[in-house]
Amino acid sequence: MSIIKKVSAALFLIWGLFVFITAMILVLPFILLSSVIFQGKRRQDIAFFFLKIWGWIFSILCFYPVRVKNRKIINPDKAYIYVSNHNSYLDAIAVVIAIPGSFKPLGKIEMAKMPIFGLIYRRVVVMIDRKSKESRAKSLEDLKYYLSKGRSILIFPEGTMNNSSYPLAEFYDGAFKLAIETQTPIAPMIILNARDLLPRISPLSAKPGLIKCVFDTPVEVSGLGSEDVDSLKAKVYNRMESLIQKHSG
């Protein structure tokens, strides 16, 4: 990479960080206030209203437009377990903008330590410390609780960002066990281009560009039992992999 490209990428990253933090500061008071005044789903809905504003500010000012396909097949008044591929930090912007309505994402506890962002993160995310058996158990119970209240959740079934050369990393069982135990349909979606625009392992390769999100028809789990976890996981994996192959490029 030439010096000019490195400098341009560095300046673009600095601009992106500035917009990220500034937009977060703008919406933070409203999210904190809503967490005090409101309870339950209303509090979550209001928080996500302002998170979507944050996402759109970042998307527009950093030249990361988000195009969503097949969103109409999702019923915003119904509870789903959203599952998505995970390739980049830009995925956080993509899911906030793409998913209709509010949802409770499952996220790593380490992110809560970030200044400013952490204050919001702790209020909208079900946090998990994957090193702690107790934390994993508690996060599972929290997710079940939100689903029982008719609130959607989001899980990245790959567990972490996929840095392999494959379209998808291997899926964990958690989202699919939870879907069967709570009889909640799974709503698969894919995020395209995010890794190319902001690679985790090479941030100086960051560049503006289009992020594409595509929803697939929700997968019903009615009548499935614990013995069907592997087949359900394979079904969703294959559908997401096909979507990636179909819509890439």
Side-chain angles (χ1 to χ4, degrees):
M1 182 183 293
S2 69
I3 296 296
I4 294 177
K5 286 185 177 180
K6 286 183 179 180
V7 171
S8 297
L11 290 174
F12 181 69
L13 282 175
I14 293 170
W15 169 249
L17 184 61
F18 171 77
V19 173
F20 182 94
I21 294 174
T22 302
M24 194 66 70
I25 291 173
L26 287 175
V27 302
L28 177 59
F30 299 100
I31 293 176
L32 294 180
L33 188 61
S34 67
S35 69
V36 173
I37 297 176
F38 302 102
Q39 296 294 324
K41 190 175 186 299
R42 183 166 177 79
R43 176 169 64 183
Q44 180 178 306
D45 289 345
I46 292 173
F48 264 83
F49 171 79
F50 289 106
L51 274 181
K52 286 179 182 293
I53 292 175
W54 163 73
W56 279 112
I57 290 173
F58 184 87
S59 170
I60 292 168
L61 294 184
C62 292
F63 311 104
Y64 286 124
V66 178
R67 181 185 299 165
V68 184
K69 188 171 184 178
N70 297 341
R71 182 157 45 193
K72 290 183 178 180
I73 65 177
I74 301 297
N75 181 353
D77 298 320
K78 188 173 182 178
Y80 296 101
I81 297 177
Y82 291 99
V83 293
S84 173
N85 59 325
H86 191 21
N87 292 315
S88 168
Y89 290 114
L90 292 175
D91 295 341
I93 302 295
V95 295
V96 165
I97 292 176
I99 293 177
S102 65
F103 58 93
K104 275 285 184 178
L106 179 67
K108 296 186 294 184
I109 195 170
E110 293 85 355
M111 300 295 289
K113 299 176 182 178
M114 294 178 62
I116 303 174
F117 179 77
L119 292 173
I120 296 177
Y121 189 83
R122 286 191 289 269
R123 285 163 174 78
V124 300
V125 172
V126 174
M127 294 184 290
I128 181 172
D129 180 356
R130 297 190 184 278
K131 300 177 183 177
S132 167
K133 182 178 179 181
E134 292 77 14
S135 176
R136 294 196 301 271
K138 183 180 183 306
S139 64
L140 179 62
E141 291 306 312
D142 288 344
L143 293 172
K144 286 181 179 179
Y145 170 79
Y146 291 120
L147 289 171
S148 73
K149 297 298 182 180
R151 295 153 75 177
S152 295
I153 65 171
L154 165 70
I155 296 176
F156 293 114
E158 295 163 295
T160 187
M161 288 189 201
N162 175 19
N163 293 318
S164 74
S165 58
Y166 297 100
L168 292 170
E170 184 178 353
F171 283 180
Y172 286 90
D173 291 346
F176 310 99
K177 285 183 178 179
L178 191 60
I180 290 174
E181 289 176 8
T182 63
Q183 290 293 282
T184 306
I186 293 176
M189 65 173 290
I190 59 166
I191 303 169
L192 300 172
N193 299 341
R195 180 194 288 187
D196 292 335
L197 299 176
L198 181 58
R200 180 185 181 187
I201 59 175
S202 181
L204 282 179
S205 298
K207 57 187 176 183
L210 176 68
I211 300 171
K212 295 190 288 186
C213 299
V214 185
F215 286 97
D216 197 8
T217 304
V219 179
E220 297 294 335
V221 297
S222 178
L224 298 184
S226 58
E227 70 277 6
D228 299 306
V229 169
D230 286 341
S231 60
L232 176 62
K233 180 173 65 172
K235 179 178 181 178
V236 174
Y237 185 101
N238 291 335
R239 284 174 61 170
M240 289 174 63
E241 187 177 49
S242 296
L243 272 184
I244 292 171
Q245 293 171 349
K246 178 180 179 180
H247 294 279
S248 293

